[in-house]
Amino acid sequence: MTNQNMFSDDGKIRILYTGSINLKTRNPSPLFEAVRLISLSKNSKYLERLEIIFIGQNVEILKELVHKFSVEKWVSIQPE
């Protein structure tokens, strides 16, 4: 087996989550709120290389949260 890089060498910082979302125990809202606050600040340049990828279930819940926090620019949702 060879050691392969899953992502291209484009300088992006990626956060990858695979699994289900449960708003009580696995809620990405704090992450989305942090990204939203950074995007509104003078430090928004730090988000230029950020990409958050979700692969899993409960896609509709994620879409609602992404819209609620206005983080569409940084979040990608891919169903299983």
Side-chain angles (χ1 to χ4, degrees):
M1 176 181 269
T2 63
N3 186 6
Q4 282 185 296
N5 187 353
M6 290 182 60
F7 300 111
S8 63
D9 190 16
D10 59 5
K12 285 198 172 199
I13 298 167
R14 292 183 174 85
I15 299 172
L16 175 65
Y17 180 83
T18 60
S20 61
I21 298 297
N22 177 316
L23 294 182
K24 291 183 181 181
T25 59
R26 294 183 180 135
N27 188 339
S29 293
L31 173 63
F32 292 168
E33 176 66 2
V35 171
R36 185 187 75 78
L37 290 173
I38 293 169
S39 75
L40 298 173
S41 76
K42 63 182 179 180
N43 295 317
S44 63
K45 65 182 178 190
Y46 294 113
L47 298 177
E48 292 174 2
R49 298 183 322 165
L50 179 65
E51 183 177 2
I52 303 168
I53 304 165
F54 285 89
I55 301 173
Q57 302 170 352
N58 299 337
V59 172
E60 291 307 314
I61 293 171
L62 277 172
K63 287 180 182 178
E64 290 174 18
L65 290 173
V66 167
H67 180 71
K68 175 183 175 182
F69 291 98
S70 301
V71 293
E72 294 90 343
K73 181 176 179 179
W74 302 280
V75 178
S76 169
I77 302 170
Q78 302 173 16
E80 276 185 312

